[in-house]
Amino acid sequence: MNFGRFFSVGRMVAVLLGALAASFGSLPAAAQGALHHAPLKTCVKRVESGDTVRTQFAALARFDCKTSQTKFGRGSFWVIAPALPQWSYPASPMAVRTAAAWQHRTTLFGRYADGAIVALPMARAATSRHMQLGAIVEQVLPARSAPVVQLMWRVDESANLRGILIGPEIVSLQESAKINLFMAAVYATFGGLCLTLIIQNLAMWQAMRHRFQLIYCLMIGTLAVYALSSSGVLAWIWPDMPDVNRVRLNYLALGTSASLALLFARTYFEPRVFAGWLSPAIIVSCSLLTGSATLFAVLIPWQAGNLHWMFSLSFLSMVALVPPILWRAWRARSQFFWIFTIAWATPIFFAGLRVANALNFLEWSFWVDNSTILAMTSEALLSSLAISYRIRLLSRERDDARVRELAARALADTDPLTGLLNRRSFLHRAIGLAGDHILLIADLDHFKAVNETIGHDGGDEVLRVFARALRASVPEDALVARIGGEEFAILLPADRAIDATAILERLRAERMPFDLTVTASIGASTGLLQTEIDWKKLYRRADRALFAAKTEGRDRVRYDMAMAA
């Protein structure tokens, strides 16, 4: 894999982040201000027998404005916003927004300056019809001649998992539309990112077939489902869907994606990283995540608080496993340690914030509540870069292995001293060739004397010089081999026979170590090479011709009787 392909994901990251930045930059200043609008200050009071709406508006002193909402536990409550921001006073429709929470029924009351009170009831089954992007529930108080001066909610059978009334704020209808537009750009960017990453990694999986690629695609797919449910988009697609079903799908998708993230790490890192207790711990954590998410989806709304806590603690177990995994990777000198540390840094940070918020150690915030989308984007992009990096390393290892294999094969087929074919490789290529071939057997004259005169190192150099002379004297497609100590073979089709004396002339012209004069004798024969028996016959005839050349004085060529005839 080349560097261009490796960094293609990096370019895609830049484009997508640029699109996200552009969508945020295009959001008008008023909408951005609404996004950062401070929540309304609220006070809480339990519902008591005989309570009426008007008496509660008039009994502000009986409301608790200091105690955290989560400390009130389950039950039915009045929640009042005693004062509204000055900009909300004009007589115009007012959008009242709160984060989705678990309760049986919520009724919003708006008190106008003329004393009129408007009630907007909303049962849990109708929540989807009021859902806005970001999982924000919005109700619109109608415009009257007098402005709204106070807001109050009656929340019946609140589970109070993260609060009775979470993040209340008011915006104009125009600002509400702009907020939805901005959030739509965010979720559309993430949806396109998920689709792109899944297609890219499935395409790479077709070539590489590594298990971590499929797990990654499943993780991205479940993250997309989680984004669909947690964003409120699902409620827009299916307005009549009970909100409890959206919440069920939300928990199932989040638990599954977190489990897949652990399994992705398990299959991505080298096996030595997960030796010992860490591998079983990952299985236990994945079981807790999927099990608690499944229990929540099946049993909700029964014991909603306990099921929520159980899921939050199982999610915490996943977060707690990340430091040991990275520690092991560092100790094992994993080549993927740094890229995985970078990939997991942002998701784990935001996951910690979400767990702290779920366990009520951190106050609710719109951006903390929606931080998962940022964490998922970061994890998806950086994990894809990690996959590209891993595949690049695997590709490089494969290429190196291929080079080593070719080198080993070349060593097995060639004579290490001369670089020519060895006897085994020569016979493997020669036997079975169709048609007549000419075989030349060349043998250096008095080679023993050469070794005694200039030593074995000098003799080796003589063999190398002779091998170069042979290779240079014959066509490129001729088979040239060293088949013995100082014995060489040349094989060509019979209709392309060469003048063997030219080989001897080339040898005489070569400069030998210590200017030693070295000659050779050549025996030649022509015949078939269909079988090993044909080879033996052909070799014997060429060898007899070589013996004749030696007997007649050396430094000459002799042909067997059939060729001479």
Side-chain angles (χ1 to χ4, degrees):
M1 180 179 294
N2 56 32
F3 280 98
R5 182 180 297 178
F6 173 60
F7 287 111
S8 64
V9 180
R11 290 194 294 270
M12 181 180 65
V13 172
V15 171
L16 289 170
L17 290 181
L20 184 60
S23 66
F24 183 78
S26 64
L27 188 68
Q32 293 186 36
L35 280 173
H36 294 87
H37 192 278
L40 295 174
K41 293 183 178 181
T42 57
C43 305
V44 178
K45 172 186 173 297
R46 282 191 178 273
V47 172
E48 298 174 358
S49 177
D51 285 349
T52 65
V53 176
R54 288 193 179 276
T55 59
Q56 299 313 305
F57 269 120
L60 183 59
R62 299 175 60 189
F63 282 78
D64 187 337
C65 301
K66 297 181 179 180
T67 305
S68 173
Q69 290 186 10
T70 55
K71 293 184 179 180
F72 284 91
R74 299 168 55 91
S76 298
F77 303 91
W78 296 99
V79 181
I80 192 169
L84 301 183
Q86 184 67 35
W87 64 265
S88 66
Y89 287 171
S92 59
M94 177 187 295
V96 182
R97 299 163 63 92
T98 60
W102 193 265
Q103 65 271 324
H104 176 69
R105 183 184 182 89
T106 301
T107 305
L108 169 64
F109 300 96
R111 187 173 73 84
Y112 293 78
D114 59 2
I117 297 175
V118 172
L120 299 178
M122 182 180 63
R124 185 166 59 201
T127 302
S128 294
R129 292 188 171 276
H130 297 271
M131 189 71 66
Q132 305 299 311
L133 295 183
I136 296 296
V137 178
E138 182 177 282
Q139 294 173 280
V140 179
L141 284 168
R144 293 172 57 89
S145 58
V148 178
V149 293
Q150 265 188 327
L151 295 175
M152 186 169 64
W153 294 260
R154 173 167 174 154
V155 182
D156 293 311
E157 298 181 26
S158 171
N160 200 1
L161 301 180
R162 296 181 297 161
I164 302 167
L165 191 74
I166 305 173
E169 66 175 5
I170 53 175
V171 296
S172 68
L173 295 184
Q174 293 81 4
E175 287 171 340
S176 175
K178 292 172 184 176
I179 295 170
N180 279 331
L181 180 63
F182 169 69
M183 296 306 296
V186 172
Y187 290 119
T189 300
F190 180 73
L193 170 66
C194 289
L195 183 62
T196 301
L197 292 177
I198 289 174
I199 293 174
Q200 179 200 29
N201 284 279
L202 281 178
M204 289 194 296
W205 176 78
Q206 289 290 330
M208 306 299 294
R209 299 282 175 169
H210 289 290
R211 187 171 57 169
F212 64 79
Q213 294 172 279
L214 284 181
I215 295 176
Y216 174 80
C217 291
L218 289 173
M219 181 183 75
I220 296 300
T222 54
L223 288 177
V225 174
Y226 172 76
L228 187 68
S229 61
S230 65
S231 64
V233 173
L234 194 61
W236 284 23
I237 298 173
W238 188 7
D240 293 326
M241 177 190 67
D243 192 56
V244 64
N245 291 341
R246 180 189 69 84
V247 176
R248 286 178 174 135
L249 183 61
N250 185 256
Y251 275 74
L252 281 174
L254 183 58
T256 304
S257 63
S259 299
L260 289 170
L262 283 178
L263 292 177
F264 172 68
R266 176 67 182 83
T267 55
Y268 182 88
F269 277 114
E270 301 91 339
R272 65 179 184 274
V273 174
F274 294 91
W277 65 271
L278 197 52
S279 186
I282 286 179
I283 301 301
V284 170
S285 180
C286 291
S287 301
L288 288 174
L289 282 165
T290 54
S292 60
T294 303
L295 284 176
F296 187 96
V298 171
L299 299 179
I300 201 72
W302 179 79
Q303 294 294 322
N306 292 332
L307 293 172
H308 173 76
W309 271 75
M310 185 186 303
F311 178 80
S312 299
L313 291 174
S314 67
F315 204 84
L316 186 61
S317 73
M318 184 273 288
V319 176
L321 279 177
V322 174
I325 291 174
L326 295 179
W327 170 256
R328 281 282 190 87
W330 180 74
R331 289 290 302 273
R333 299 184 182 277
S334 170
Q335 55 187 337
F336 313 121
F337 168 72
W338 285 111
I339 193 165
F340 220 84
T341 300
I342 295 171
W344 271 19
T346 302
I348 292 304
F349 173 74
F350 284 114
L353 291 181
R354 287 299 306 273
V355 171
N357 174 243
L359 297 177
N360 297 321
F361 295 124
L362 186 68
E363 289 292 330
W364 181 91
S365 162
F366 176 83
W367 289 115
V368 171
D369 198 46
N370 286 272
S371 63
T372 305
I373 193 71
L374 302 176
M376 289 188 299
T377 302
S378 171
E379 181 176 10
L381 289 171
L382 294 173
S383 293
S384 189
L385 285 175
I387 288 177
S388 298
Y389 176 69
R390 173 70 181 272
I391 291 176
R392 175 179 174 271
L393 292 181
L394 290 171
S395 178
R396 188 170 64 184
E397 290 172 2
R398 182 190 60 189
D399 293 341
D400 291 343
R402 186 176 298 166
V403 169
R404 290 193 298 270
E405 180 185 355
L406 292 174
R409 188 178 300 170
L411 288 174
D413 291 345
T414 59
D415 172 57
L417 179 63
T418 63
L420 301 178
L421 295 175
N422 56 30
R423 183 183 182 88
R424 183 196 61 81
S425 180
F426 176 80
L427 294 179
H428 177 73
R429 300 187 187 194
I431 296 175
L433 293 175
D436 287 339
H437 282 73
I438 180 171
L439 174 66
L440 305 177
I441 303 295
D443 189 88
L444 289 172
D445 297 329
H446 303 297
F447 189 68
K448 182 178 179 181
V450 170
N451 277 335
E452 292 173 349
T453 302
I454 61 176
H456 287 284
D457 289 342
D460 289 346
E461 181 61 25
V462 169
L463 291 173
R464 283 191 285 266
V465 173
F466 184 45
R468 289 197 295 269
L470 286 179
R471 186 73 267 181
S473 303
V474 299
E476 289 187 3
D477 58 346
L479 295 181
V480 184
R482 182 187 178 196
I483 59 175
E486 63 270 16
E487 188 175 79
F488 297 80
I490 303 101
L491 185 70
L492 282 166
D495 58 357
R496 296 178 59 196
I498 62 172
D499 183 6
T501 58
I503 297 176
L504 300 181
E505 292 174 0
R506 178 66 180 260
L507 177 61
R508 297 186 195 109
E510 292 288 343
R511 182 174 182 180
M512 293 293 176
F514 303 100
D515 293 326
L516 193 69
T517 299
V518 178
T519 61
S521 299
I522 297 177
S525 181
T526 301
L528 295 173
L529 282 169
Q530 290 291 321
T531 65
E532 188 173 352
I533 294 176
D534 292 337
W535 156 256
K536 291 179 179 179
K537 291 178 180 179
L538 184 61
Y539 179 78
R540 279 197 299 269
R541 293 200 303 270
D543 191 53
R544 283 197 296 267
L546 175 63
F547 181 75
K550 295 281 188 181
T551 303
E552 295 175 18
R554 296 181 171 85
D555 193 20
R556 64 198 64 208
V557 180
R558 288 294 178 264
Y559 299 89
D560 72 331
M561 295 179 63
M563 290 186 67

